[in-house]
C-alpha cells in the first residue's frame, strides 16, 4: 500500500523477528516460527502498530470492504477511468472472490497491525502501559478481521512456535472482550489531547461495539446472515459502557456537524474518542492520507481537483430531510475560496464566484442521482465531501482521521435500549441527536428508523456494512445491484494463500 512507504522498514524488521500472522507479502518461513524479539525496541514496535492504522485511510482495502458493498457507496466506471479490472463493481455487486485485490490487501494489512501489536505484548522489555496499549490495538485489528472475514489467525502466546490458531467469530469476540476488560485499568483517561492513543474511553467504545454485534459474531458460521438473537445482557453491557463514556465528561455532540471532520477538528470537535492525529505539512502523518477522502470523489475541474471516482446511491441521498445539517453546508475557508461545499454534492456545481462549472468536454458539471455505473459519464453520481480540505495544504492537512466518535456512542446506546425493550429511552436519544442536526423529532421508533439514523450520522465513516448486516438489510437490492445477494456474502473469503500457509484456517461457507 502506498501509505506504508515511510514505515515499511521498521514494520517488516519487527515482523521478521517473529510473530507474523498471515501477511502474504512476507516469506512463508516467517509465518511458521517465532524468534526472540527482546532486542527490538517496544517503543519502535508500538509506534509501527499505531502507524499501521494508516491503512484504514486508503480508499481501497479495508475501507473499500466496509463501504462499497453497502447501500451508501459505489464506484462507477467512466469510460477508461476507474475500471480497474472491475474491482469496484465486484465489491458493489457482491461478486468478489478470494483473489480480489481488496480482499487480499485488507487481510494482509489487518494482520500486519495485529502482528506488530503482538510483538509489543510478547516483548520482555515492554512496560505494562505499552502492553496495555498494544493489547488495545490488537483488539482493534482483531475486531475488523473477525467482522470482515469471520475468522482470526491468532498466535497463542503459550505456544509461540505453533502455527496461529483460527479463532471463530465467537471465540475472537470473547478474546477481544477478555483482553479489553483486562487492560482498561492500565490505560489513561481521555483528555481530549490523547485521542490518537489507546484510552479507557476508546477501549470501552470498542467493547460496546463488540457487544452490540455479539449476536452476529455468536451466530452459527453455517448461517452467518442470521436471523440474530440479541441477548438483553449484551445490550445492557452496551448501555453500561456508553454511560461510562458519557460519565467521563470529556465528550459531547458537536453543534456544527462538519467540525468533526474539519482540518481543525482536533480543537473544534468534542466528539473525537479515537483518531489518527495528523499534523499539517507532516511528510508521513502516521501513515495517514486523509486527502483520499476528497480526492476519491471530486471532479477534475473542482478545487481540489480530484480523481472523479466514488459516489453515493440515490436512495441513500434521498433518506435525508432537506433541513438536516448533515446533508451539506458551506464552509468558510473552503466554499468561499473554491466553491466546494461539505456533505453531498448534487446538481450543478459552482466555483467560488458562483459561476457554473463544466466537465472536461464543456458540458455543465451537474451531478446526477441515478446512472449505469458500468458506462457512467463524468458528471454521473452524487459526491460526498466528509473531510474538509485545507486549501493551504491539500496533500498534508491536519484533519484527524476519525475512527470512534461520541455520536456513535449515543446511537449504540439507543439501539441497545431498543433491542432490550426500552423503546421510549431509545427514541429520546435519537430525537436529541436529530434536534442537534436540525431535523424534527420522530413520533415513534422502529429498527429501520435506527438504521436510517445511523446512516445519516455516520455515512462514509466505515460502519455501513457492519450496520446493515446487524439489521438484516445487507443482501437487499440497491442501485446497480438489482437482485438479492446470497446470504453467505456477509463475510469475505479467506485468501487462498492463507489457507495454504495455515491449515488451521478454513474457507468460509459459500466460497
Amino acid at each position: 500500500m502506498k501509505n506504508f512507504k515511510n514505515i515499511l522498514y521498521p514494520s517488516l524488521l519487527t515482523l521478521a523477528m517473529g510473530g507474523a500472522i498471515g501477511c502474504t507479502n512476507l516469506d512463508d518461513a516467517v509465518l511458521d516460527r517465532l524468534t526472540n524479539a527482546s532486542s527490538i525496541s517496544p517503543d519502535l514496535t508500538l509506534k509501527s502498530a499505531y502507524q499501521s492504522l494508516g491503512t484504514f485511510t486508503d480508499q481501497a482495502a479495508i475501507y473499500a470492504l466496509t463501504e462499497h458493498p453497502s447501500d451508501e457507496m459505489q464506484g462507477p466506471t467512466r469510460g477508461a477511468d476507474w475500471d480497474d479490472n472491475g474491482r469496484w463493481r465486484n465489491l458493489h455487486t457482491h461478486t468478489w472472490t478470494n483473489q480480489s485485490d481488496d480482499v487480499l490487501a485488507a487481510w494482509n494489512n489487518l494482520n500486519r497491525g495485529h502482528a506488530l501489536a503482538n510483538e509489543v505484548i510478547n516483548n520482555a522489555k515492554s512496560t505494562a502501559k505499552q502492553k496495555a496499549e498494544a493489547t488495545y490495538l490488537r483488539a482493534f485489528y482483531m475486531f475488523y478481521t473477525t467482522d470482515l472475514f469471520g475468522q482470526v489467525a491468532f498466535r497463542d502466546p503459550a505456544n509461540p512456535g505453533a502455527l496461529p490458531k483460527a479463532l471463530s467469530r465467537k471465540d475472537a469476540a470473547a478474546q477481544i472482550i477478555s483482553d479489553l476488560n483486562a487492560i482498561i485499568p492500565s490505560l489513561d483517561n481521555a483528555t481530549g489531547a490523547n485521542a490518537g492513543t489507546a484510552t479507557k474511553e476508546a477501549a470501552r467504545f470498542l467493547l460496546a461495539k463488540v457487544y452490540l454485534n455479539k449476536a452476529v459474531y455468536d451466530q452459527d458460521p453455517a448461517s452467518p446472515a442470521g436471523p440474530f438473537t440479541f441477548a438483553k445482557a449484551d445490550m445492557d453491557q452496551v448501555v453500561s459502557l456508553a454511560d461510562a463514556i458519557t460519565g467521563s465528561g470529556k465528550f459531547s455532540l458537536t453543534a456544527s456537524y462538519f467540525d468533526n471532520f474539519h482540518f481543525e477538528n482536533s480543537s473544534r470537535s468534542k466528539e473525537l474518542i479515537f483518531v489518527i492525529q495528523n499534523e499539517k505539512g507532516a511528510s508521513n502523518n502516521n501513515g495517514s492520507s486523509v486527502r483520499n477522502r476528497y480526492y476519491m470523489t471530486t471532479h477534475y475541474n473542482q478545487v481540489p481537483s480530484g480523481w472523479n471516482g466514488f459516489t453515493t446511491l440515490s436512495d441513500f441521498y434521498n433518506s435525508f430531510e432537506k433541513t438536516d445539517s448533515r446533508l451539506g453546508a458551506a464552509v468558510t475557508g473552503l466554499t468561499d475560496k473554491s466553491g466546494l461545499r461539505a456533505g453531498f454534492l448534487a446538481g450543478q456545481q459552482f466555483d467560488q464566484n458562483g459561476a457554473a462549472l463544466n466537465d472536461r468536454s464543456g458540458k455543465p458539471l451537474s451531478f446526477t442521482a441515478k446512472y449505469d455505473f458500468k458506462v457512467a459519464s463524468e458528471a454521473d453520481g452524487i459526491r460526498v465531501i466528509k473531510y474538509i480540505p485545507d486549501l493551504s495544504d491539500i496533500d498534508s492537512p491536519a484533519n484527524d482521521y476519525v475512527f470512534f466518535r461520541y455520536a456513535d456512542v449515543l446511537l449504540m446506546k439507543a439501539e441497545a435500549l431498543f433491542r432490550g425493550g426500552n423503546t421510549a429511552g431509545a427514541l429520546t436519544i435519537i430525537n436529541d441527536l436529530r434536534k442537534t442536526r436540525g431535523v424534527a423529532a420522530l413520533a415513534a421508533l422502529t429498527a429501520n428508523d435506527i438504521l436510517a439514523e445511523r446512516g445519516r450520522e455516520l455515512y462514509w465513516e466505515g460502519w455501513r456494512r457492519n450496520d446493515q448486516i446487524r439489521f438484516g438489510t445487507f443482501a437487499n437490492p440497491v442501485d446497480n445491484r438489482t437482485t438479492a445477494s446470497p446470504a453467505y456474502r456477509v463475510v469475505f473469503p479467506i485468501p487462498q494463500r492463507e489457507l495454504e500457509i495455515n491449515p488451521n484456517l478454513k474457507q468460509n461457507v459459500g466460497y
Side-chain angles (χ1 to χ4, degrees), residues 45 101 118 123 128 149 171 250 270 325 376 470-471 473 480 486:
T45 316
D101 289 345
N118 264 352
N123 193 325
F149 293 98
D171 290 341
K250 301 296 183 181
K270 302 299 183 184
S325 63
R470 196 169 61 255
F471 282 87
T473 67
N480 295 308

Side-chain angles (χ1 to χ4, degrees), residues 197-227:
T197 58
T199 63
K200 287 179 169 63
E201 288 73 20
R204 288 177 177 130
F205 184 107
L206 184 53
L207 262 177
K209 192 65 75 171
V210 175
Y211 276 113
L212 188 68
N213 289 280
K214 197 164 180 294
V216 178
Y217 302 155
D218 285 354
Q219 181 71 15
D220 183 349
S223 55

Side-chain angles (χ1 to χ4, degrees), residues 94 96-98 488-494 507-511:
H94 295 187
W96 55 77
T97 72
N98 66 354
Y488 70 85
R489 291 281 173 173
V490 298
V491 291
F492 292 97
I494 306 299
Q507 189 55 274
N508 290 320
V509 169
Y511 295 104

Side-chain angles (χ1 to χ4, degrees), residues 89-406:
R89 292 195 304 273
N90 290 339
L91 290 176
H92 183 68
T93 58
H94 295 187
T95 54
W96 55 77
T97 72
N98 66 354
Q99 298 296 320
S100 295
D101 289 345
D102 297 291
V103 170
L104 296 171
W107 176 270
N108 287 350
N109 293 340
L110 288 167
N111 281 289
R112 180 183 294 116
H114 181 154
L116 287 164
N118 264 352
E119 290 301 330
V120 180
I121 295 167
N122 295 329
N123 193 325
K125 294 182 179 180
S126 297
T127 66
K129 174 75 177 311
Q130 288 171 329
K131 289 186 177 183
E133 289 191 42
T135 300
Y136 167 82
L137 289 172
R138 184 176 71 181
F140 185 93
Y141 290 116
M142 285 179 63
F143 168 79
Y144 278 93
T145 306
T146 194
D147 190 74
L148 293 170
F149 293 98
Q151 296 177 59
V152 173
F154 187 81
R155 190 176 293 282
D156 186 353
N159 190 13
L163 282 173
K165 59 184 178 181
L167 296 183
S168 67
R169 268 184 155 182
K170 183 175 182 178
D171 290 341
Q175 181 74 48
I176 294 169
I177 290 170
S178 176
D179 285 347
L180 291 175
N181 279 321
I183 63 165
I184 285 176
S186 299
L187 296 174
D188 290 339
N189 293 310
T191 65
N194 62 352
T197 58
T199 63
K200 287 179 169 63
E201 288 73 20
R204 288 177 177 130
F205 184 107
L206 184 53
L207 262 177
K209 192 65 75 171
V210 175
Y211 276 113
L212 188 68
N213 289 280
K214 197 164 180 294
V216 178
Y217 302 155
D218 285 354
Q219 181 71 15
D220 183 349
S223 55
F228 308 119
T229 301
F230 294 88
K232 188 175 186 304
D234 293 336
M235 299 302 99
D236 289 346
Q237 287 282 358
V238 175
V239 173
S240 177
L241 290 160
D243 286 345
I245 295 171
T246 299
S248 72
K250 301 296 183 181
F251 308 101
S252 60
L253 287 176
T254 300
S256 181
Y257 178 73
F258 291 104
D259 277 354
N260 292 309
F261 311 96
H262 196 275
F263 46 85
E264 297 174 347
N265 62 346
S266 60
S267 59
R268 290 176 177 239
S269 176
K270 302 299 183 184
E271 297 190 26
L272 308 185
I273 297 174
F274 185 56
V275 303
I276 298 174
Q277 291 178 309
N278 292 317
E279 296 180 9
K280 183 176 179 177
S283 61
N284 179 27
N285 259 341
N286 297 316
S288 173
S289 184
V290 170
R291 71 173 200 155
N292 285 356
R293 291 298 175 266
Y294 39 84
Y295 273 36
M296 70 187 192
T297 189
T298 54
H299 185 270
Y300 312 110
N301 291 345
Q302 292 181 294
V303 178
S305 175
W307 304 327
N308 201 36
F310 306 151
T311 76
T312 195
L313 281 68
S314 59
D315 286 345
F316 188 80
Y317 172 75
N318 291 331
S319 72
F320 287 77
E321 298 169 55
K322 298 306 179 184
T323 61
D324 197 326
S325 63
R326 299 166 294 194
L327 185 60
V331 177
T332 301
L334 175 67
T335 310
D336 55 319
K337 293 183 178 180
S338 74
L340 194 70
R341 290 169 56 87
F344 292 86
L345 309 181
Q348 179 63 51
Q349 300 301 296
F350 302 90
D351 68 12
Q352 68 273 22
N353 299 314
L357 294 173
N358 294 326
D359 67 15
R360 291 181 297 180
S361 68
K363 297 178 182 178
L365 185 62
S366 182
F367 294 144
T368 62
K370 285 184 176 287
Y371 58 88
D372 183 338
F373 77 157
K374 292 182 180 179
V375 288
S377 74
E378 279 191 19
D380 280 342
I382 295 170
R383 315 305 167 85
V384 172
I385 300 295
K386 199 73 182 271
Y387 285 86
I388 310 304
D390 181 353
L391 297 181
S392 68
D393 197 331
I394 292 296
D395 291 331
S396 299
N399 315 60
D400 287 349
Y401 186 82
V402 182
F403 289 116
F404 301 160
R405 64 184 178 92
Y406 184 62

